[in-house]
Amino acid sequence: MNKRLFLIDGHALIFKMYYAFLRRPMINSKGADMSILFGFTKYVLELIEKEKPTHLAVAFDPPGGTFRHEMYPDYKGTRSETPQLIIDSLEPLTELCQAMKIPVLMIKGFEADDVIGSMAKRAEKEGFEVYMVTPDKDYGQLISPSIFQYKPGKGGSDSELVDTAKICEKYGIDRPEQVIEILTICGDTSDNVPGVKGVGEVGAGKLIAKFGTVEEIYAHIEELTPRQREAFENAKGHIDMSHDLVTIKTDIEIDVRSEDMAIRC
């Protein structure tokens, strides 16, 4: 039997449930809004029933900043304030996962992306098939023959499984790691990561398909159109930082053993 590890991006699922119940919240007899707790639990139980994972864990972003905020104080600086209901749901959801014997992966100074990335690569070496449960496009860089992105469906639609072939076809690239190069060029407005102004996803894909990396684009900058050349010259001061900001860490030491993630609920 294949060892199948599902790693859930906890905060992405919290936000999904927050918006799903926003217009019709579930209020208990004491007047407390239970929407996120109900939706989160329901999703996890349905995932276990449908996909039959052998192992499961949930990763949350820790309170406070991360190493990316130290690198770039304006990281995620354009985001609106997190709703209090979402902030307040973290502690009870952590307790809920523990009651279901599902390990919670949360490491101070690192985002859930980095924890999932590190655990996914570690589990891959241990012979697992790994499924990263998240809609976040940044996770595309982690996909491999044994690591997949499991994107939850929207509005009742089915989940989407993204493998190496699908992610490479989407961007027109040779290997998933080149998603880092695409994100470096495009930047990320939601995370306030500066990119190359005026170059979108399609244009970035074509450039990476031709040159392979951002570094190689700069090495052959004279081959770009005058407009592209100017845009890349203007981005030169922050491009290395942007590359570091969008790169998910895969080498964090996580003190949770594989057997701790075996399904017990």
Side-chain angles (χ1 to χ4, degrees):
M1 181 178 174
N2 285 350
K3 296 188 294 182
R4 289 159 49 87
L5 168 62
F6 278 67
L7 297 170
I8 297 174
D9 179 347
H11 269 87
L13 188 54
I14 289 175
F15 272 93
K16 177 180 172 65
M17 295 310 159
Y18 173 76
Y19 288 110
F21 289 95
L22 195 56
R23 292 185 178 178
R24 296 182 65 183
M26 298 187 69
I27 310 297
N28 70 7
S29 58
K30 296 177 181 176
D33 190 329
M34 306 302 290
S35 305
I36 292 175
L37 296 184
F38 172 81
F40 192 102
T41 308
K42 182 172 182 284
Y43 182 87
V44 171
L45 291 174
E46 287 177 350
L47 180 74
I48 293 170
E49 176 65 27
K50 181 183 177 186
E51 299 298 342
K52 305 286 191 292
T54 59
H55 296 69
L56 178 70
V58 177
F60 290 114
D61 293 330
T66 67
F67 75 95
R68 290 184 178 86
H69 294 91
E70 293 175 15
M71 186 191 308
Y72 180 49
D74 290 332
Y75 181 63
K76 294 190 176 179
T78 52
R79 288 193 180 186
S80 53
E81 202 168 322
T82 303
Q84 193 61 41
L85 190 62
I86 289 176
I87 295 170
D88 293 343
S89 70
L90 183 57
E91 189 175 332
L93 278 177
T94 300
E95 293 173 359
L96 191 67
C97 288
Q98 289 167 344
M100 295 169 73
K101 297 183 170 55
I102 298 171
V104 170
L105 311 178
M106 185 162 60
I107 300 178
K108 187 174 175 58
F110 296 99
E111 293 179 61
D113 311 33
D114 304 302
V115 178
I116 288 177
S118 298
M119 183 59 85
K121 293 298 182 183
R122 190 185 95 185
E124 179 182 37
K125 291 174 185 171
E126 295 175 2
F128 282 87
E129 278 183 3
V130 183
Y131 298 82
M132 306 175 295
V133 184
T134 178
D136 191 339
K137 66 182 184 301
D138 294 7
Y139 283 82
Q141 64 189 268
L142 300 168
I143 292 171
S144 76
S146 301
I147 300 176
F148 309 89
Q149 183 174 5
Y150 185 97
K151 298 173 78 171
K154 292 180 182 176
S157 62
D158 287 339
S159 301
E160 179 190 0
L161 193 64
V162 185
D163 59 9
T164 299
K166 192 172 275 191
I167 196 72
C168 289
E169 182 186 355
K170 177 183 178 180
Y171 293 111
I173 52 182
D174 296 325
R175 55 190 192 281
E177 307 90 84
Q178 290 176 304
V179 169
I180 298 170
E181 311 300 319
I182 304 274
L183 296 173
T184 300
I185 295 171
C186 294
D188 190 327
T189 51
S190 69
D191 287 346
N192 198 30
V193 176
V196 179
K197 197 171 180 182
V199 183
E201 196 174 279
V202 174
K206 288 178 179 175
L207 287 168
I208 295 304
K210 181 177 180 181
F211 296 105
T213 65
V214 171
E215 189 177 354
E216 281 300 302
I217 292 174
Y218 278 99
H220 298 86
I221 200 164
E222 71 285 347
E223 295 178 33
L224 303 183
T225 65
R227 190 173 178 179
Q228 286 177 330
R229 191 160 61 243
E230 183 183 4
F232 272 87
E233 289 287 6
N234 290 339
K236 205 168 186 176
H238 63 248
I239 206 73
D240 287 343
M241 179 193 70
S242 295
H243 191 278
D244 290 342
L245 288 172
V246 301
T247 300
I248 294 175
K249 282 194 166 294
T250 58
D251 58 356
I252 302 171
E253 287 291 328
I254 303 171
D255 126 21
V256 173
R257 301 169 305 169
S258 298
E259 51 264 40
D260 298 332
M261 298 185 288
I263 291 285
R264 292 183 178 86
C265 61

